[in-house]
Amino acid sequence: MHGLRAGLVSLFLPFLGQGSVVRPHQLLSLLRPGLRTPRLSVLCAQPRPRAMALSPSSSSSSGALPLVAVCQVTSTPDKQHNFKACAELVREAARLGACLAFLPEAFDFIARDPAETLHLSEPLGGSLLGEYKQLARECGLWLSLGGFHERGQDWEQTQKIYNCHVLLDSEGSVVATYRKTHLCDVEIPGQGPMHESSSTMPGPSLKSPVSTPAGKIGLAICYDMRFPELSLALAQAGAEILTYPSAFGSITGPAHWEVLLRARAIEAQCYVVAAAQCGRHHEKRASYGHSMVVDPWGTVVARCSEGPGLCLARIDLHYLRQLRQHLPVFQHRRPDLYGSLGGPPS
């Protein structure tokens, strides 16, 4: 697949067979006529290990499993430029038949400093979110807006914002909001300091999982992935898909990104969808990219390559339920020994 800026994902494995060597011309032959492939992301779909090769659901062969799209972008301080880039990917996802598209943290903008962040922020009722609501209606799919710089109701008092994950349905209605609870105040040598709390307030609570056409989604944002209690709480509350829209740095990305996402998927026995920022946003900041989807066995079933694009994956909830039945870790927990780690959200 080298040489393609973008390719496809596990969507095509049923046509090609498990373990197949996939050639670029084979993928192109499966595309609809007129589909412009360079915006799609590189194929990275691995067959599940034989030790856990569970029987497929009856809908697997019919292609009825819900399809999700994970969008990777390079946000800048220019909100309209960013919207055009995101909208192009969302429309591509809709053309490919996705029922839900995921955008990364800071999909709206990435500013140069806290003062610019506060200046560019908007309330949920502002014009920018209105454009995304219209986009959802136009495309007829759900949108996970992974981290909106929100001026909350306490803006006048605090002069700080919230990092807000907004979930829109296909009618453009706000179905759920989650405000990031763990703020990234860290200093990593070689990556530059991050002091999110200088402009952002922590969210007060978790959000119960939300039913979507792809399954029950638990909302989180970026740095939240370092706290397994959150993923366990969402899983115990019924989540089938965990979302970690992110803007990971160039030092922590190669070391921790995939490891953490796969760990969260395995321990919570959930799909994990992680849309990521990539590339250089401006002279002060760059992001790692490598957006991906991980299945409940911990296999990366879709992955973006370098640069903006998208990847696609089918969500097989029958497989998830089988795995939980065969490996019932939530039934084996011992809260009498170590307390209730990650109790369900209120």
Side-chain angles (χ1 to χ4, degrees):
M1 297 303 296
H2 184 71
L4 281 177
R5 183 179 174 186
L8 293 172
V9 288
S10 54
L11 168 63
F12 294 116
L13 286 181
F15 299 100
L16 299 171
Q18 291 286 350
S20 297
V21 177
V22 184
R23 308 296 183 191
H25 72 274
Q26 290 177 286
L27 291 176
L28 293 173
S29 69
L30 292 169
L31 295 171
R32 296 203 312 261
L35 180 64
R36 293 171 290 176
T37 58
R39 293 192 199 93
L40 293 176
S41 191
V42 86
L43 173 68
C44 181
Q46 306 160 2
R48 295 183 183 116
R50 292 186 180 275
M52 205 59 190
L54 304 176
S55 60
S57 66
S58 59
S59 59
S60 297
S61 58
S62 67
L65 296 176
L67 181 68
V68 299
V70 186
C71 302
Q72 182 165 283
V73 300
T74 306
S75 291
T76 71
D78 186 334
K79 291 193 285 187
Q80 275 307 303
H81 170 83
N82 300 334
F83 174 74
K84 290 177 182 177
C86 291
E88 188 175 13
L89 291 175
V90 169
R91 292 186 180 109
E92 192 85 29
R95 284 194 292 271
L96 290 167
C99 65
L100 200 157
F102 294 83
L103 292 173
E105 181 182 33
F107 68 93
D108 50 353
F109 65 86
I110 291 183
R112 295 176 182 85
D113 53 53
E116 187 176 38
T117 294
L118 295 175
H119 173 72
L120 292 173
S121 64
E122 297 185 18
L124 290 181
S127 61
L128 184 61
L129 197 62
E131 292 185 84
Y132 280 95
K133 291 177 179 180
Q134 175 58 35
L135 180 65
R137 289 191 293 269
E138 170 197 325
C139 294
L141 80 173
W142 287 52
L143 291 179
S144 163
L145 306 177
F148 178 76
H149 296 86
E150 178 208 2
R151 291 189 183 185
Q153 295 182 350
D154 55 1
W155 164 255
E156 295 296 334
Q157 291 76 40
T158 66
Q159 292 295 295
K160 288 189 175 184
I161 60 173
Y162 292 95
N163 189 342
C164 184
H165 190 158
V166 183
L167 187 64
L168 303 179
D169 66 16
S170 57
E171 299 297 320
S173 299
V174 176
V175 175
T177 56
Y178 161 74
R179 292 164 180 87
K180 188 177 182 182
T181 50
H182 301 97
L183 300 185
C184 188
D185 287 354
V186 301
E187 296 194 18
I188 306 296
Q191 189 170 283
M194 284 285 295
H195 299 294
E196 191 172 14
S197 65
S198 64
S199 61
T200 306
M201 297 282 290
S205 62
L206 303 184
K207 174 67 182 178
S208 295
V210 182
S211 294
T212 77
K216 284 190 174 182
I217 290 185
L219 303 179
I221 301 173
C222 196
Y223 192 57
D224 286 333
M225 75 176 70
R226 294 186 180 275
F227 303 89
E229 298 89 347
L230 186 151
S231 63
L232 293 174
L234 293 173
Q236 290 179 81
E240 297 161 323
I241 303 167
L242 302 176
T243 58
Y244 293 104
S246 299
F248 248 56
S250 57
I251 301 298
T252 54
H256 298 162
W257 172 250
E258 182 175 327
V259 175
L260 286 169
L261 294 173
R262 295 181 68 189
R264 299 296 82 85
I266 293 167
E267 72 197 3
Q269 297 182 317
C270 289
Y271 280 90
V272 165
V273 179
Q277 292 281 345
C278 68
R280 182 153 294 280
H281 309 290
H282 45 68
E283 65 277 7
K284 294 182 178 180
R285 187 169 174 185
S287 293
Y288 177 63
H290 295 77
S291 303
M292 65 179 63
V293 180
V294 185
D295 75 9
W297 185 247
T299 302
V300 178
V301 295
R303 185 198 307 265
C304 285
S305 59
E306 301 298 326
L310 61 81
C311 60
L312 305 167
R314 297 279 185 193
I315 303 297
D316 188 341
L317 296 181
H318 175 76
Y319 169 69
L320 178 147
R321 292 170 189 133
Q322 276 193 305
L323 190 149
R324 290 178 175 181
Q325 180 181 355
H326 286 275
L327 193 62
V329 292
F330 282 93
Q331 297 178 30
H332 298 158
R333 294 195 180 278
R334 292 289 306 274
D336 57 310
L337 299 180
Y338 42 71
S340 180
L341 300 177
S346 56

